[in-house]
Amino acid sequence: MPMSKAASARVARRIATAAAYGSGGLSLLGGAAVGLLFAEAQLAKRKIGVSDDDPPKADGVYGAAFAGQHPGRAVRLGFLGDSTAAGQGVHLPRQTPGALLASALAAVAERPVELRNVALPGAQSDDLERQVTLLLSEQDLDHAPDVCVIMIGANDVTHRMPPSRAVRLLSDAVARLRTAGCEVVVGTCPDLGSVEPVGQPLRWVARRLSRQLAAAQTIAVVEEGARTVSLGDLLGPEFAAHPRELFGPDNYHPSAEGYATAAMAILPTLCASLGLWPTEDEGPDAARRESILPVARAAAEAVAEGGTEVTAVRGPWALLKHRRRRRLPPAEEVEAAHEEAL
């Protein structure tokens, strides 16, 4: 039976607390199920294709045409995480989530946006320290990214990294970026139960572990003063219902349409983090089922509905928002807006 939101909140808080106090061995999967799940996992691996292609390189400046309209410098956007953040599964730079968000952010801000993507396919949360170091070492703190997007968690689940350790590593990465003056938006762990070749009972377990990790990530990230956007439930039903449209050729990574779906969910929160969203949209709107809740309850609510933002307000409270999505620029505009960094 599905866990209640109150029970989910308790589990998420337990993981986040274990992460804060160093209980790296915390596990949520009983040993009796390991044999069956291992067999299911091996079957799923044989069905899922493997892509050896490097993700397209999308680094560069987007919206260069706006340079003459603003005396200030370009907005600096950093991208970190795993293969989803890198754009694995598509073939054109403009189809990657980094390019989509950089171009859309440039259109909203009416300023050029400089994208630097250090995400690595196959990365788990223990690679975030290297990625943050790479991103920050290339520039002094006065020239750190203005905002960073992190998409991480799927490989932590599939490689059975203890959730408390995964959350602690993510929290440490967010804290370093915040100390450097970056706003941070984290797209939390996707719903691995939506991957088409995964059968039962592995599908149910994958969904449950994905959601538990996403909720715990939310608590830790919000407590570091950053924002999260839940991706699991947003992509899950759409991926399950439209696998041919939303999965790439390897049946695991999103297609161009799948990445666009994720980018549209993240864009409003990305803009809000930089003060580019209407201020009247910053409070809770009861008509859109928004509210201020204890952070653990807000985290549990968020993973149940994709595209939900959670951000800190005060003390142990968080704001749960369902922002209105904004359409992304057409693909040809994304390509035209891109100037590769030399």
Side-chain angles (χ1 to χ4, degrees):
M1 291 182 61
M3 295 177 72
S4 69
K5 287 181 180 150
S8 296
R10 287 194 297 272
V11 170
R13 171 55 76 186
R14 180 160 60 91
I15 297 171
T17 301
Y21 290 98
S23 298
L26 178 66
S27 176
L28 298 178
L29 188 60
V34 171
L36 175 60
L37 294 177
F38 180 79
E40 287 282 352
Q42 296 308 305
L43 180 61
K45 284 179 181 178
R46 287 197 293 270
K47 291 181 179 178
I48 293 173
V50 177
S51 174
D52 294 324
D53 295 337
D54 290 332
K57 191 73 170 174
D59 287 16
V61 176
Y62 292 76
F66 293 116
Q69 301 179 25
H70 257 284
R73 59 170 175 76
V75 176
R76 298 189 181 98
L77 170 62
F79 237 79
L80 308 89
D82 55 23
S83 55
T84 304
Q88 185 88 42
V90 295
H91 302 291
L92 300 175
R94 61 180 168 81
Q95 297 172 325
T96 64
L100 291 166
L101 285 171
S103 181
L105 181 58
V108 173
E110 297 185 343
R111 290 173 59 186
V113 172
E114 181 181 348
L115 172 66
R116 178 73 174 102
N117 194 329
V118 295
L120 178 69
Q124 300 175 53
S125 290
D126 56 6
D127 193 55
L128 288 176
E129 180 180 8
R130 182 195 64 83
Q131 294 183 29
V132 172
T133 298
L134 181 61
L135 194 63
L136 296 182
S137 65
E138 293 178 346
Q139 31 203 330
D140 59 49
L141 292 186
D142 290 334
H143 295 84
D146 297 292
V147 62
C148 290
V149 174
I150 303 175
M151 302 169 73
I152 199 79
N155 295 316
D156 297 328
V157 174
T158 60
H159 290 77
R160 291 190 290 175
M161 177 182 286
S164 58
R165 180 167 183 252
V167 170
R168 184 175 68 256
L169 291 164
L170 173 60
S171 178
D172 290 346
V174 172
R176 286 184 64 195
L177 292 170
R178 295 287 293 146
T179 299
C182 306
E183 297 294 333
V184 180
V185 176
V186 174
T188 54
C189 182
D191 179 6
L192 293 176
S194 65
V195 178
E196 191 180 36
V198 177
Q200 297 292 10
L202 184 58
R203 181 185 294 271
W204 178 86
V205 173
R207 172 162 287 128
R208 181 163 177 167
L209 294 182
S210 299
R211 290 190 174 194
Q212 288 171 342
L213 179 58
Q217 287 176 321
T218 299
I219 295 170
V221 167
V222 168
E223 290 181 345
E224 291 294 344
R227 305 177 190 229
T228 63
V229 178
S230 58
L231 298 181
D233 188 66
L234 171 77
L235 298 178
E238 295 189 44
F239 277 22
H242 307 288
R244 294 181 185 277
E245 292 80 18
L246 291 173
F247 279 123
D250 61 4
N251 289 325
Y252 185 79
H253 293 99
S255 65
E257 290 81 2
Y259 281 127
T261 300
M264 280 192 294
I266 293 172
L267 177 61
T269 300
L270 180 65
C271 293
S273 73
L274 295 172
L276 299 173
W277 213 246
T279 55
E280 62 269 17
D281 197 38
E282 289 308 300
D285 184 340
R288 296 208 299 269
R289 296 172 292 106
E290 299 176 349
S291 55
I292 295 175
L293 297 168
V295 65
R297 181 61 186 270
E301 295 273 353
V303 299
E305 184 170 350
T308 303
E309 175 188 323
V310 180
T311 186
V313 286
R314 58 185 180 276
W317 300 90
L319 174 61
L320 186 82
K321 288 198 67 67
H322 304 289
R323 293 188 184 273
R324 296 183 179 90
R325 296 184 202 170
R326 183 162 180 160
R327 292 190 64 81
L328 300 175
E332 56 272 16
E333 289 185 20
V334 177
E335 195 159 344
H338 180 218
E339 287 188 359
E340 273 199 302
L342 300 177

